[in-house]
Amino acid sequence: MAAQLPFVVRALRLEADDVMSVELAPEDGRAVPAWTPGAHVDLVVGDGTTRQYSLCGDPGATVLRIAVLREQAGRGGSAWVHDRLRPGDRVRLGGPRNHFALEPAPEYLFVAGGIGITPLLPMLAQARARGVAWRLHYFGRARQRMAFLGELAPYGGRVRVHPSPEGSAPPLDGLVDGLPPGGLVYACGPQRLLDGLRAAMAAAGREDRLRTEHFAAPAGADQGERGAFTVRLERSGIEVRVPAGRSALDVLTEAGAEILSDCHEGICGSCETRVLSGAVDHRDHVLTPQERAAGDCMMPCVSRAAGDRLVLDL
Ligand code: FES
């Protein structure tokens, strides 16, 4: 389980309508944990549950910065940040973790939808530092709802801002035209945008060049057989049977294992657990194909054993 450490809220700033940035400094003079663009942290919110937020500041800074969209239909975590959190408050953070890191490429196309700009923001600086060409297309419902436009302004013509009213399809035609072989597309935003982009790239035969971070599990995900299997928790010496139709996370938590969790849909990465042996039937949307192939970690909220038995580092 990732450790949760104490931080102090240094500053809160309204970056756009319903988008608040939060700067967090480690308590007790600890150094800021090292992180790379694309990483996120787990913020423990008012009711003790966690939420994942991408780091959107400078990896060299002495504070961590996140930005939180107030979700009108959310579970209350974002409203707690907006309405309750104040400078000087103490919070606990897990992570940072990164399943959306910038792979080397000769050119990047970044595509952001709304608050999906957050993981991409530090990637732009990283791409520039690498001397690699890049472009950003930033979609949102209206300019006043789109955070960090001021920070993007110095990038000039590399950034295209597309305010598009709710309900209208984002103009994705031709977006990937001109991307050289080996170029990569990094996208984060609402599922509709990611689905449209995936379809456009599939039509161009370039779906393998797309890297995404999800806000929600894609429709139709996790539809496979959910058979029973046995899990051994190596450090605790416990062995449990996960019945068909139940998640390993639920069964292991009931058995006393301490595993962070949030989304229960395989998209946030909170429940990442080390696998010591056994083949995994990966059903998450976090791990890259390479990480899946390595077989040394899994998201037990959705993933299962490919065989009859797994041994976990718990
Ligand atoms: S709880 Fe989010 S990936 Fe498992």
Side-chain angles (χ1 to χ4, degrees), residues 35-39 54-57 65 100-102 108-128 134-139 148 152 155 185-189 193-194 197 211-213 215:
W35 63 278
T36 52
S54 297
L55 292 173
C56 60
R65 183 175 70 163
F100 191 48
L102 201 59
Y108 300 108
L109 171 65
F110 297 106
V111 181
I115 195 67
I117 189 64
T118 49
L120 304 182
L121 206 52
M123 287 185 182
L124 309 181
Q126 189 179 28
R128 189 177 60 170
W134 61 267
R135 293 172 285 146
L136 166 69
H137 288 269
Y138 183 7
F139 298 91
F148 305 119
L152 292 169
Y155 290 125
V185 180
Y186 277 77
C188 184
L193 175 68
L194 300 184
L197 188 59
R211 305 288 182 270
T212 57
E213 182 148 270
F215 291 168

Side-chain angles (χ1 to χ4, degrees), residues 207-256:
E207 197 178 352
D208 65 322
R209 310 314 298 161
L210 178 62
R211 305 288 182 270
T212 57
E213 182 148 270
H214 293 268
F215 291 168
D222 192 24
Q223 295 297 306
E225 180 72 21
R226 295 167 65 88
F229 57 98
T230 297
V231 180
R232 177 174 172 77
L233 310 185
E234 189 63 26
R235 280 189 277 132
S236 337
I238 298 172
E239 198 157 298
V240 292
R241 187 79 180 153
V242 179
R246 290 202 68 198
S247 81
L249 176 66
D250 287 349
V251 175
L252 296 176
T253 303
E254 263 174 31

Side-chain angles (χ1 to χ4, degrees), residues 232 234 274-280 295-296 309-313:
R232 177 174 172 77
E234 189 63 26
R274 235 159 67 81
V275 177
L276 299 176
S277 70
V280 181
D296 57 1
R309 184 178 168 84
L310 288 173
V311 181
L312 303 181
D313 186 21

